[in-house]
Amino acid sequence: MDDMEHNSPIPIELLTSSAQVSELARILSRERRIAVDTESNSRHRYPERVCLVQVATNRKVYLIDTLAVKDMEPLSQAMADDTVMKVIQGAEYDIRCMDREWGFRVRNVFDTSIAARFVGIERFGLSFLTETLLGLQVPKLARIQKSDWSRRPLSQEAMNYAATDVGHLFRIQEVLEGKLRALGRSSWVSEECARLEDIRYVAPDPETAFQSLKGSRKLDGQQKAVLKRLFTTREAEARHRNRPPYYILPHETLVHLASNPDADLARLPSLRGQINSRFGRQLRAALHKGLADPPVNSPSHSVRRRVTTIEVERLQRLKKWRMDLGKELSIDPALVWPMVTLERIAKAPGTLGAELQSGEVRHWQREQFATLLEAALV
């Protein structure tokens, strides 16, 4: 049992100085495990910033006000210490955010959402896991969850909410680890979590980011040139206003304008009140320049070989194998084997040996299922 009783409220300490973070780093170096979470302001500000880092030990929850702390480097040492386990719910986002903000490397991760998937839990949000595994109902107040975490001072209600996100992770981890050991899947989750250590933040390429918008692929080359100009204009305005781009102008409006550059801006609800503003003038200039720009040519794709009936049937057989095995193990079939390798094997079954060594295939998948996959190909 933890040093504190499970039902006792865990004390919360707000850290606002670099000296306090340095002291916390010394405390964390003596811990066996810590729980970690972050709160960002992506719903309200742009570019997004991490506004709070929550770190829990068995005795206390520390809330680091990252907007006040000047030097976060001491915490980076704690995150990189592979002798201290970091229990994180949905770790990918937090790891990417901490890399973007401070270049942190996070080692020895136990992701409770990943572990939940491997014990057959189909819903793996924190509230559901807390209720299902611990029998506790923790109210998740949407108005706090969606609030602007960059606002100061933090209310006591907001601090309690943030602390709750890490307050139950140790017990959830313990329950999940017990289930994993019983199923013989602890090493499976260990490998999946180890892969999280390689996650890095990659900034969008300003030359190609506009192509991520839904509907952009249907545009012709000239329309894409217009969209690129509009996208760049909106990006600059979002940074100027410190507001998320979608709130400046919805993605759908950008694509609509790119495909209808002669549209009457005054008739677009999302532009109401902005037509004669500085931003409205910039949009009209972007439309004009985009029409004069060279067309944006999509990368040429090699002509795909027609898939044979035998290959289609083979892929269907492999999909069924994966589906049946997932049902037998009571886990998502997507965890059994990566689909991309099955698609390649279906086209060229002689490459099975090479596919088994590909980066997409995990060691535990190869050890557990390679023989079964080979049999499914016969």
Side-chain angles (χ1 to χ4, degrees):
M1 181 172 290
D2 295 344
D3 293 345
M4 297 189 66
E5 291 295 328
H6 286 325
N7 294 326
S8 299
I10 300 178
I12 300 172
E13 181 177 347
L14 180 64
L15 310 185
T16 58
S17 72
S18 302
Q20 289 175 310
V21 174
S22 293
E23 177 58 27
L24 174 61
R26 285 190 285 273
I27 292 171
L28 299 183
S29 68
R30 300 191 292 268
E31 295 293 320
R32 178 175 63 88
R33 61 180 180 174
I34 60 177
V36 180
D37 190 28
T38 65
E39 302 294 347
S40 298
N41 60 354
S42 59
R43 294 176 181 271
H44 301 270
R45 306 296 173 189
Y46 190 78
E48 171 188 25
R49 288 191 64 185
V50 175
C51 303
L52 201 68
V53 175
Q54 305 100 289
V55 181
T57 67
N58 289 333
R59 293 165 295 282
K60 186 181 286 188
V61 173
Y62 300 89
L63 304 181
I64 305 173
D65 183 351
T66 58
L67 302 184
V69 174
K70 302 301 182 184
D71 183 13
M72 291 287 288
E73 179 57 29
L75 189 64
S76 110
Q77 301 168 22
M79 292 297 171
D81 186 347
D82 60 11
T83 67
V84 180
M85 175 184 287
K86 289 82 186 177
V87 184
I88 310 177
Q89 166 73 15
E92 181 175 342
Y93 175 76
D94 299 294
I95 291 174
R96 187 170 281 111
C97 285
M98 289 189 285
D99 177 39
R100 181 194 67 221
E101 296 279 337
W102 308 293
F104 284 3
R105 297 292 174 260
V106 186
R107 311 293 185 195
N108 192 0
V109 176
F110 184 97
D111 188 325
T112 48
S113 64
I114 289 177
R117 296 183 70 193
F118 277 91
V119 300
I121 299 176
E122 296 182 358
R123 293 172 56 191
F124 33 87
L126 181 58
S127 294
F128 183 80
L129 294 182
T130 303
E131 182 176 349
T132 303
L133 301 179
L134 306 183
L136 299 175
Q137 289 190 333
V138 179
K140 299 295 286 184
L141 302 177
R143 62 184 175 81
I144 300 294
Q145 182 182 31
K146 298 177 181 179
S147 64
D148 184 355
W149 285 95
S150 63
R151 288 188 175 181
R152 295 295 182 272
L154 289 166
S155 68
Q156 188 62 52
E157 189 176 34
M159 289 192 287
N160 291 342
Y161 175 97
T164 299
D165 279 350
V166 290
H168 301 296
L169 284 182
F170 291 152
R171 291 181 61 197
I172 290 173
Q173 176 217 352
E174 291 163 3
V175 174
L176 289 172
E177 281 194 324
K179 292 179 179 292
L180 289 169
R181 284 194 297 270
L183 292 166
R185 299 175 188 172
S186 296
S187 63
W188 303 8
V189 171
S190 294
E191 183 176 351
E192 294 297 325
C193 290
R195 293 171 75 96
L196 295 172
E197 296 181 4
D198 296 327
I199 289 175
R200 299 290 182 270
Y201 171 74
V202 179
D205 184 344
E207 290 298 310
T208 60
F210 71 97
Q211 298 185 33
S212 66
L213 299 186
K214 184 179 180 180
S216 63
R217 292 185 179 182
K218 297 180 180 179
L219 302 179
D220 63 29
Q222 197 61 59
Q223 291 169 337
K224 287 180 180 177
V226 174
L227 180 62
K228 183 177 180 180
R229 285 281 186 177
L230 293 171
F231 185 92
T232 302
T233 301
R234 185 187 67 167
E235 175 75 10
E237 186 67 10
R239 291 177 179 273
H240 176 74
R241 296 191 202 176
N242 192 20
R243 293 283 287 166
Y246 189 83
Y247 292 162
I248 303 298
L249 205 60
H251 306 329
E252 298 85 353
T253 302
L254 292 187
V255 175
H256 173 75
L257 284 174
S259 58
N260 300 276
D262 296 326
D264 184 356
L265 300 186
R267 298 177 66 88
L268 297 177
S270 54
L271 278 170
R272 188 173 294 123
Q274 301 189 77
I275 300 303
N276 297 318
S277 68
R278 176 185 56 81
F279 179 54
R281 294 191 295 272
Q282 290 174 341
L283 279 180
R284 285 193 291 272
L287 286 166
H288 179 74
K289 291 177 181 178
L291 289 170
D293 286 339
V296 174
N297 297 316
S298 300
S300 58
H301 298 286
S302 57
V303 178
R304 291 185 178 181
R305 176 179 63 82
R306 188 184 182 112
V307 180
T308 67
T309 302
I310 292 176
E311 291 169 355
V312 171
E313 292 175 349
R314 186 181 294 126
L315 181 57
Q316 291 303 316
R317 191 163 69 248
L318 293 177
K319 286 182 176 179
K320 185 178 185 303
W321 166 77
R322 190 175 82 150
M323 181 68 70
D324 291 345
L325 191 50
K327 289 181 179 178
E328 180 184 334
L329 298 171
S330 297
I331 61 174
D332 184 345
L335 299 176
V336 171
W337 204 272
M339 179 58 69
V340 64
T341 69
L342 294 185
E343 292 172 344
R344 293 196 293 258
I345 293 169
K347 295 177 181 177
T351 64
L352 175 60
E355 288 295 341
L356 292 178
Q357 303 305 318
S358 71
E360 292 102 334
V361 178
R362 279 61 163 157
H363 294 293
W364 67 266
Q365 290 172 330
R366 188 161 52 243
E367 293 173 357
Q368 297 288 326
F369 308 134
T371 302
L372 296 175
L373 174 57
E374 187 174 5
L377 275 172
V378 177

